[in-house]
């Protein structure tokens, strides 16, 4: 168009002005009335373009001008531009910030008519309520209403995906009463967050007779065929659900697979694929929606699962822009620039207060402090202890006084009671600071996320848990030489997924991504492609590395190596397909280059199945466990049939509970872990696992040796991290996985020797180990959304009752006087919050 050169120049100018005002509180630029007119008229034209680059320019103009020249005329013009872009949250934010009750009141004639036409076109009725949706959200709703069975969507983090999925799932089960919607999240850490979102919406919309749960047990679903259900599950729990007896009685309406791009990451990616394929076998008519950020080839997921009738959508227009800001560290100066269309814009200089040894934590904390604009900020840290070091540096700087906020204080008081008064995180919290990583207790992670979203926590230092979909949008994200884990530089997809959290929908027009010393990073993801092709883990190994996989499964006793979980999960998938009559040589993985190797893999798979001694159903029930290991356990049970009762688990509170659990842990070590745990490690696993199942407080588990409390603050913090990591990775993952297999093999063996009744009485200790409790009421309270700590407290208050079910726990909770119970204020708020949604 005529002004294209000038427009880019003017957009760079207003971007510079915005960032200068944001970080320096002044600007050395001026924007004339004529330049403003050109920008607005151009944005009005560009917003109607079919080209995404033109729409992005229009978005830049419409969301930047009101920040630097907030006059009524500019706000009105920007509102009309955002309307053309379908960015209604942006319009609402303009109205709120400029105290306009409704921009349409200032329109008349054709402009008013157009406003009503646009809004009517973007309004959809979901669960009896009208929602004004963005263009992207409207397309999602319309796609789901189409006669298709598979949908794959790729859109930026700030596109409003989660909001529309939540509303659509509720709409589907409200319209078809008695059906179930399943929402798949990549990690347990996200279950509570998503459940809370559903529960809040159900309460806000006044919906009734909807059950929200996170357990793979189906009794509560079957007992109430008239009730609609939302299940929030990980891929592990989805697979468990698919294996339940009578699972076909669950009328599954729709499945949403969030963060579906994780299908490309190792063993968990393969398990996700296996679980989704399993669900398609059970519910072939169920609609499945895959959601990913920044994926170039969303169709790939439809092809992987062989949807004949599927549609894909790729949206490139975020609701919130990201300003990419680079910072160079000079001796006593921060040199700040911004990037626009790969060009640098000089922003300004700030004094740099850095001193002392040149550590990563010092660099991050100093740069963050010198540039901080009093807005919610995330400092990305490569490792958990680095995140604590950054926050400790900020705390010790003395610039963050006590905030005396009751919500922060209640949470800090709870942390001191729940962990120890010596845990430094409580002091950080009281000053609006926190660290956040996977090896924190779930209730503490969740509390940090909630307080951050409320704006009460000002700076949080986070690890890559943010990449797993944790909802913690911030105004600023500070990044320095980012890695995913300890070694690997962050890839482009992960980088843009991470920084997509800069800018909060409904709160900000833009977010700031502050890249420190970008020129010294191993790789520069800023200049690379934002959208990446995904390749499922199964395809990576079978197409690109089939020889590695063949060598692994050939071995009678595969040696443990870093990729074991990857190979074992893949072999489970291949075996499952083989049992269904599918062969790799005829699959989508087959190429001219790998065909011979795939034929060999097919032969090995067939031989493995033929050599499998137990019923083949055990192969389906235990993904990620090598058949040879199950065979060895089966042989052991056959040889020890006379002692079979002694090999059965007993209830943890039983007198012999510890002894039996110790026996099972030893069996797991021998048959599934190649005896790699030492006697001391086995004892630790047994002791911690036994106490964890019994509902022992976390502080007792962490500080089994009280002398630890005499250490330095950082050492105590590291000790807490290590203990939680042990519980999460060893007890709640490894031992849960292998106790499930042990129990399934034991039950099948009992049936084979005509002891079906005894088989059905085998207790599910794997559930006790995963949830950290064995009292039925505590397990039920956790299944409806409470954290372990609140659930155990309520279980003890409720006391023992015959025939405790989900419904009896819900009814009891509805009538509970929360204020009267003797628990921490923070727990009272969680319990009360759930109570209000029932």
């Amino acid at each position: 168009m005529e002004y294209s050169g000038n427009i880019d120049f003017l957009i760079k100018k207003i971007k510079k002005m915005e960032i200068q005002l944001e970080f320096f509180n002044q600007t050395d630029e001026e924007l004339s009335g004529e330049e403003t007119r050109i920008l607005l008229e151009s944005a009005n034209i560009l917003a109607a373009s079919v080209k995404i680059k033109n729409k992005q320019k229009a978005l830049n103009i419409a969301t930047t001008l009101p920040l630097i020249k907030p006059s009524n005329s500019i706000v009105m013009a920007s509102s009309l531009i955002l309307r053309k872009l379908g960015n209604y949250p942006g319009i609402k934010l303009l109205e709120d910030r400029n105290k306009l009750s409704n921009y349409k009141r200032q329109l008349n004639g054709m402009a008013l008519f157009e406003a009503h036409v646009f809004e009517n076109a973007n309004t959809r009725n979901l669960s009896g309520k009208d929602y004004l949706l963005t263009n992207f959200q409207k397309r999602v709703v319309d796609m789901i209403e189409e006669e298709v069975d598979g949908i794959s969507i790729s859109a930026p983090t700030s596109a409003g995906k989660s909001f529309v999925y939540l509303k659509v799932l509720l709409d589907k089960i409200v319209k078809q009463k008695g059906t179930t919607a399943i929402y798949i999240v990549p990690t347990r850490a996200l279950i509570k967050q998503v459940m809370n979102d559903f529960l809040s919406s159900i309460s806000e919309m006044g919906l009734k007779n909807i059950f929200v749960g996170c357990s793979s047990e189906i009794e509560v679903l079957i007992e109430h065929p008239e009730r609609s259900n939302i299940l929030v599950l990980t891929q592990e729990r989805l697979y468990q659900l698919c294996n339940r007896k009578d699972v076909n009685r669950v009328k599954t309406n729709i499945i949403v697979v969030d963060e579906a791009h994780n299908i490309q990451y190792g063993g968990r990616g393969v398990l996700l694929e296996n679980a989704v394929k399993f669900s398609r076998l059970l519910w072939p008519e169920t609609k499945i929606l895959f959601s990913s950020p920044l994926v170039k080839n969303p169709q790939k997921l439809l092809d992987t699962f062989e949807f004949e009738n599927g549609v894909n959508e790729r949206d490139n227009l975020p609701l919130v822009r990201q300003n990419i800001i680079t910072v160079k560290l000079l001796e006593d100066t921060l040199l700040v620039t911004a990037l626009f269309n790969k060009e640098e814009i000089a922003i300004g200089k700030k004094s740099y207060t850095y001193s002392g040894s040149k550590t990563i934590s010092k660099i991050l904390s100093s740069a963050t402090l010198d540039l901080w604009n009093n807005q919610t900020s995330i400092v990305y840290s490569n490792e958990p202890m680095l995140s604590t070091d950054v926050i400790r540096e900020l705390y010790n700087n003395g610039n963050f006084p006590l905030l005396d906020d009751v919500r922060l204080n209640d949470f800090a008081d709870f942390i001191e009671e729940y962990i120890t008064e010596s845990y430094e995180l409580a002091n950080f919290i009281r000053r609006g600071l926190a660290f956040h990583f996977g090896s924190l207790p779930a209730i503490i992670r969740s509390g940090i996320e909630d307080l951050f979203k409320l704006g009460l926590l000002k700076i949080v230092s986070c690890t890559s848990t943010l990449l797993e979909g944790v909802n913690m949008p911030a105004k600023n994200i500070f990044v320095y030489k980012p890695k995913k884990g300890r070694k690997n530089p962050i890839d482009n997809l992960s980088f843009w997924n991470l920084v997509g959290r800069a800018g909060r929908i409904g709160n900000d027009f833009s977010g700031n991504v502050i890249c420190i010393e970008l020129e010294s990073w191993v790789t520069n993801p800023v200049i690379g492609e934002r959208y990446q092709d995904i390749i499922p883990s199964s395809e990576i190994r079978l197409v690109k590395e089939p020889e590695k996989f063949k060598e692994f499964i050939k071995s009678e006793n595969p040696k443990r190596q870093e990729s074991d979980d990857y190979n074992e999960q893949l072999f489970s998938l291949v075996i499952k397909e083989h049992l269904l009559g599918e062969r790799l040589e005829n699959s989508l993985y087959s190429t001219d280059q790998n065909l011979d190797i795939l034929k060999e893999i097919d032969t090995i798979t067939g031989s493995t199945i033929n050599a499998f001694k137990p019923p083949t159903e055990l192969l389906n029930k235990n993904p990620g466990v090598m058949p040879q290991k199950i065979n060895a356990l089966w042989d052991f049970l056959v040889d020890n049939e006379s002692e079979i009762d002694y090999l059965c688990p007993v209830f943890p509170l039983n007198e012999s509970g510890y002894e039996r659990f110790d026996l099972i842990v030893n069996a797991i070590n021998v048959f599934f872990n190649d005896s790699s745990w030492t006697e001391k490690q086995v004892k630790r696993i047994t002791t911690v696992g036994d106490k964890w199942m019994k509902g022992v407080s976390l502080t007792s588990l962490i500080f089994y040796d009280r002398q630890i409390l005499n250490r330095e603050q950082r050492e105590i913090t590291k000790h807490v991290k290590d203990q939680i990591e042990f519980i999460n990775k060893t007890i709640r993952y490894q031992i849960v996985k292998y106790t499930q297999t042990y129990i399934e093999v034991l039950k099948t063996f009992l049936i084979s020797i005509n002891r079906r009744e005894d088989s059905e009485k085998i207790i599910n200790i794997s559930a006790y180990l995963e949830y950290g409790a064995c009292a039925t009421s505590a397990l039920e309270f956790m299944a409806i959304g409470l954290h372990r700590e609140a659930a155990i407290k309520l279980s003890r208050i409720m006391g023992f009752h015959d025939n405790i079910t989900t419904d009896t726990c819900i009814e009891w909770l509805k009538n509970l006087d929360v204020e009267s119970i003797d628990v921490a204020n923070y727990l009272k708020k969680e319990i009360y919050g759930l109570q209000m949604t029932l």
Side-chain angles (χ1 to χ4, degrees):
M1 59 178 285
E2 185 179 349
Y3 293 115
S4 60
N6 290 334
I7 288 304
D8 282 350
F9 172 79
L10 292 177
I11 291 175
K12 283 167 60 179
K13 186 175 184 178
I14 61 174
K15 182 176 284 289
K16 177 180 179 179
M17 294 174 72
E18 175 197 10
I19 296 171
Q20 284 183 330
L21 290 170
E22 179 86 56
F23 291 97
F24 295 84
N25 297 316
Q26 60 183 6
T27 177
D28 57 14
E29 296 281 358
E30 288 187 10
L31 194 68
S32 70
E34 177 64 11
E35 288 173 325
T36 302
R37 182 189 65 78
I38 291 173
L39 282 165
L40 289 172
E41 288 182 357
S42 300
N44 191 45
I45 297 170
L46 293 168
S49 171
V50 295
K51 293 183 178 180
I52 192 66
K53 286 186 178 180
N54 290 337
K55 289 182 181 292
Q56 287 171 337
K57 290 179 182 179
L59 178 71
N60 264 289
I61 295 167
T63 57
T64 306
L65 276 178
L67 298 176
I68 59 178
K69 296 185 73 173
S71 67
N72 281 343
S73 59
I74 287 177
V75 170
M76 277 301 302
S78 294
S79 295
L80 295 175
I81 294 164
L82 290 174
R83 188 193 66 195
K84 280 190 175 182
L85 294 170
N87 190 339
Y88 292 101
I91 295 174
K92 179 68 166 58
L93 185 55
L94 276 178
E95 290 178 343
D96 291 345
R97 287 197 174 179
N98 296 277
K99 298 180 180 177
L100 295 174
S101 58
N102 190 328
Y103 82 103
K104 287 184 294 185
R105 292 183 181 177
Q106 299 186 38
L107 302 178
N108 53 45
M110 183 57 71
L112 180 61
F113 174 74
E114 284 183 353
H116 284 294
V117 170
F118 275 110
E119 290 192 8
N120 185 64
N122 278 53
T123 298
R124 296 292 181 273
N125 188 279
L126 300 169
S127 304
K129 183 177 179 180
D130 285 340
Y131 290 94
L132 181 56
L133 305 175
T134 67
N135 288 347
F136 163 72
Q137 291 170 333
K138 175 191 68 174
R139 291 196 300 273
V140 171
V141 173
D142 292 346
M143 288 167 67
I144 291 173
E145 290 302 315
E146 291 179 27
E147 293 296 321
V148 296
D149 49 7
I151 303 166
S152 184
I153 293 169
S154 172
T157 304
S158 58
K161 300 190 294 291
S162 298
F163 172 85
V164 73
Y165 298 156
L166 185 149
K167 301 301 181 189
V168 166
L169 262 63
L170 287 174
D171 182 66
K172 296 285 284 184
I173 62 172
V174 165
K175 287 178 178 175
Q176 298 182 40
K177 296 188 186 303
T179 59
T180 295
I182 301 175
Y183 196 103
I184 305 302
V185 293
T187 66
R188 281 192 304 248
L190 288 169
I191 289 176
K192 174 73 172 169
Q193 173 186 301
V194 175
M195 286 184 73
N196 283 346
D197 290 342
F198 276 114
L199 290 167
S200 296
S201 281
I202 289 168
S203 178
E204 169 198 324
M205 298 163 70
L207 301 177
K208 302 295 182 184
N209 208 25
I210 296 177
F211 170 76
V212 179
C214 61
S215 170
S216 60
E217 302 293 337
I218 64 172
E219 287 77 7
V220 67
L221 311 181
I222 293 173
E223 287 171 3
H224 296 275
E226 77 291 345
R227 185 166 64 190
S228 295
N229 311 287
I230 298 280
L231 296 181
V232 183
L233 308 173
T234 58
Q235 53 262 52
E236 287 90 352
R237 291 186 191 178
L238 174 62
Y239 201 96
Q240 292 166 16
L241 176 77
C242 292
N243 261 316
R244 299 295 181 208
K245 183 181 178 183
D246 296 328
V247 68
N248 283 315
R249 293 172 62 184
V250 178
K251 300 172 187 174
T252 306
N253 186 314
I254 184 170
I255 298 173
V256 170
V257 183
D258 201 5
E259 305 292 324
H261 65 288
N262 284 314
I263 197 172
Q264 67 186 326
Y265 297 127
R268 288 185 62 76
V270 177
L271 179 58
L272 174 61
E273 180 179 341
N274 204 355
V276 173
K277 284 182 174 178
F278 202 169
S279 65
R280 288 207 71 202
L281 284 173
L282 292 170
W283 305 295
E285 304 302 317
T286 296
K287 191 164 293 190
I288 299 182
L289 185 154
F290 301 96
S291 175
S292 313
L294 307 169
V295 167
K296 190 187 292 185
N297 57 338
Q299 177 65 35
K300 183 67 177 180
L301 289 163
L302 301 176
D303 295 340
T304 298
F305 293 99
E306 300 183 87
F307 283 99
E308 295 181 2
N309 184 22
V311 292
N312 70 86
E313 171 74 16
R314 179 180 156 196
D315 187 87
N316 295 355
L317 188 65
L319 299 180
V320 180
R321 336 173 248 108
Q322 273 85 44
N323 295 320
I324 305 299
I325 300 167
T326 61
V327 178
K328 292 183 180 179
L329 309 179
L330 306 181
E331 186 173 344
D332 57 359
T333 305
L334 295 177
L335 183 63
V336 182
T337 58
L339 297 181
F340 176 73
N341 287 347
K342 299 181 181 179
E343 294 180 43
E344 284 195 352
I345 307 170
I347 301 297
K349 297 179 181 180
K350 271 202 169 190
S351 60
Y352 184 35
T353 59
Y354 173 84
S355 63
S357 58
K358 197 170 185 180
T359 62
I360 295 176
S361 61
K362 280 273 190 183
I363 291 170
L364 273 169
S365 60
S366 298
T368 298
L369 188 61
D370 290 337
L371 282 171
W372 191 49
N373 53 5
N374 290 304
Q375 299 286 322
T376 54
S377 300
I378 287 171
V379 182
Y380 181 77
S381 300
N382 297 330
E383 298 181 64
M385 288 313 295
L386 175 60
S387 74
T388 74
D389 294 340
V390 169
I391 295 302
R392 195 177 303 107
E393 293 277 0
L394 291 171
Y395 172 83
N396 289 334
N397 186 275
N399 284 324
F400 295 91
L402 289 167
L403 296 176
D404 198 26
D405 184 282
V406 66
R407 290 164 293 185
L408 293 177
N409 290 340
D410 278 350
F411 186 50
D413 290 344
F414 169 71
I415 289 172
E416 289 179 336
E417 176 186 332
Y418 176 52
I419 303 295
T420 174
E421 291 183 0
S422 302
Y423 194 35
E424 61 185 339
L425 178 61
N427 284 329
F428 299 161
I429 293 287
R430 291 189 173 97
R431 288 163 171 78
L433 303 170
F435 49 77
H436 181 286
F437 45 79
S439 296
L440 282 175
I443 193 168
I444 292 180
R445 270 201 324 268
S446 180
I448 290 168
E449 292 158 17
D450 291 341
L451 292 171
F452 188 73
K453 282 184 277 189
L454 290 171
L456 298 175
L457 290 175
K458 301 304 181 183
I459 301 179
V460 176
S461 186
C462 294
T463 61
S464 59
T465 49
L466 272 183
L467 300 174
E468 295 166 348
V470 175
N471 184 20
M472 284 180 63
K475 178 64 177 177
N476 311 306
I477 294 182
F478 292 85
V479 192
Y480 174 65
K481 295 184 179 180
K483 295 179 183 178
K484 195 173 179 183
R486 293 188 176 185
K487 300 178 181 178
N488 301 321
I490 201 166
D491 59 83
N492 282 21
L493 176 59
S494 296
F495 176 80
W496 289 109
N497 186 20
L498 166 69
V499 302
R501 273 114 178 119
R504 301 154 296 176
I505 298 171
N507 290 301
D508 301 311
F509 293 116
S510 65
N512 303 307
V513 183
I514 300 102
C515 300
I516 303 167
E517 293 281 87
L518 180 61
E519 66 280 359
S520 70
W521 295 11
V522 176
T523 58
N524 184 348
V526 171
I527 61 174
E529 172 65 55
R530 294 193 183 195
Y531 284 74
Q532 300 289 308
D533 285 324
I534 57 170
I535 305 174
S537 294
S538 57
E539 183 175 332
I540 292 171
R541 184 127 296 182
L542 291 172
V543 174
K544 297 184 177 181
E545 306 166 335
E547 188 69 38
K548 283 185 182 178
F549 180 61
K550 185 193 79 173
E551 291 305 312
F552 178 84
I553 65 174
K554 267 175 66 176
S555 173
E556 283 296 317
N557 183 24
K559 293 181 180 178
R560 293 189 62 78
Q561 52 191 5
E562 190 175 343
S563 60
D564 255 17
D565 184 56
Y566 190 173
N567 283 320
E568 291 186 356
Q569 292 288 355
L570 182 56
F571 199 28
S572 292
L573 176 62
V574 170
I575 286 172
K576 191 175 183 68
E577 298 283 293
H578 197 100
L579 290 170
L580 292 170
E582 304 292 334
R583 299 294 181 269
L584 289 176
E585 65 173 296
N586 301 319
S587 70
L588 53 83
Y589 307 114
S590 180
T591 68
D592 291 341
Q593 290 73 34
N594 70 358
L595 179 59
D596 289 339
I597 299 177
L598 293 188
K599 286 180 178 179
E600 288 185 65
I601 293 172
D602 281 334
T603 301
I604 295 167
T605 304
S607 300
T608 301
I609 293 171
N610 291 334
F612 193 67
K613 297 174 183 178
T616 54
E617 66 189 54
L618 283 176
L619 293 172
N620 284 335
K621 288 185 176 181
N622 300 283
V625 182
M626 292 296 282
Q628 296 96 324
K629 296 179 179 181
I630 297 175
N631 262 345
L633 176 58
W634 184 268
D635 287 341
F636 173 76
L637 296 179
V638 169
D639 293 341
N640 292 273
E641 182 179 340
S642 61
E643 300 291 326
I644 198 66
D645 291 323
Y646 185 66
L647 296 173
C648 294
V650 297
F651 193 65
L653 298 178
N654 187 289
E655 186 179 14
S656 59
Y658 180 90
E659 180 186 0
R660 293 291 184 88
F661 182 54
D662 180 58
L663 185 151
I664 292 171
V665 173
N666 274 284
I668 287 171
N669 189 32
V670 171
F671 296 109
F672 303 129
N673 203 46
D674 298 325
S675 299
S676 63
W677 290 327
T678 65
E679 186 176 333
K680 185 177 179 180
Q681 287 173 313
V682 168
K683 184 176 180 180
R684 184 188 179 198
I685 291 168
T686 303
T687 302
V688 174
D690 179 67
K691 290 180 177 180
W692 177 250
M693 286 190 288
K694 291 174 178 175
V696 170
S697 69
L698 203 55
T699 186
S700 297
L701 291 172
I702 293 173
F703 299 108
Y704 53 86
D705 179 359
R706 306 304 290 181
Q707 294 299 313
I708 294 166
L709 294 172
N710 297 325
R711 297 178 181 176
E712 295 293 324
Q713 288 282 321
R714 189 181 190 276
E715 287 186 67
I716 293 174
T717 295
K718 184 178 187 304
H719 177 75
V720 173
K721 177 197 76 74
D722 291 344
Q723 297 309 302
I724 299 300
E725 190 172 279
F726 174 75
I727 289 172
N728 284 344
K729 291 186 176 179
T730 302
I731 304 298
R732 300 188 68 200
Y733 179 69
Q734 274 187 295
I735 299 299
V736 165
K737 174 181 175 179
Y738 291 128
T739 52
Q740 284 174 346
T741 301
Y742 180 91
I743 290 168
E744 289 295 343
V745 175
L746 182 61
K747 288 167 73 172
T748 304
F749 179 74
L750 287 170
I751 292 171
S752 75
I753 59 174
N754 299 316
R755 293 182 58 179
R756 180 176 293 274
E757 191 173 326
D758 291 328
S759 169
E760 293 171 353
K761 292 178 182 177
I762 297 290
I763 62 168
N764 187 9
I765 62 166
S766 57
Y768 304 159
L769 287 161
E770 182 175 1
Y771 289 96
C774 60
T776 303
S777 53
L779 294 168
E780 294 293 352
F781 286 131
M782 280 185 265
I784 60 174
L786 287 177
H787 283 107
R788 175 183 187 257
E789 299 66 39
I792 288 172
K793 292 279 188 183
L794 288 185
S795 175
R796 289 169 181 165
I797 294 169
M798 184 180 186
F800 177 77
H801 294 268
D802 290 328
N803 301 317
I804 290 178
T805 65
T806 304
D807 293 322
T808 57
C809 289
I810 289 174
E811 287 305 311
W812 181 85
L813 186 54
K814 281 181 182 178
N815 298 307
L816 177 68
D817 180 3
V818 178
E819 282 304 315
S820 69
I821 62 177
D822 183 22
V823 300
N825 285 337
Y826 182 74
L827 289 185
K828 283 184 181 179
K829 290 174 183 175
E830 180 185 3
I831 295 165
Y832 182 75
L834 177 61
Q835 189 184 52
M836 291 300 97
T837 65
L838 299 175

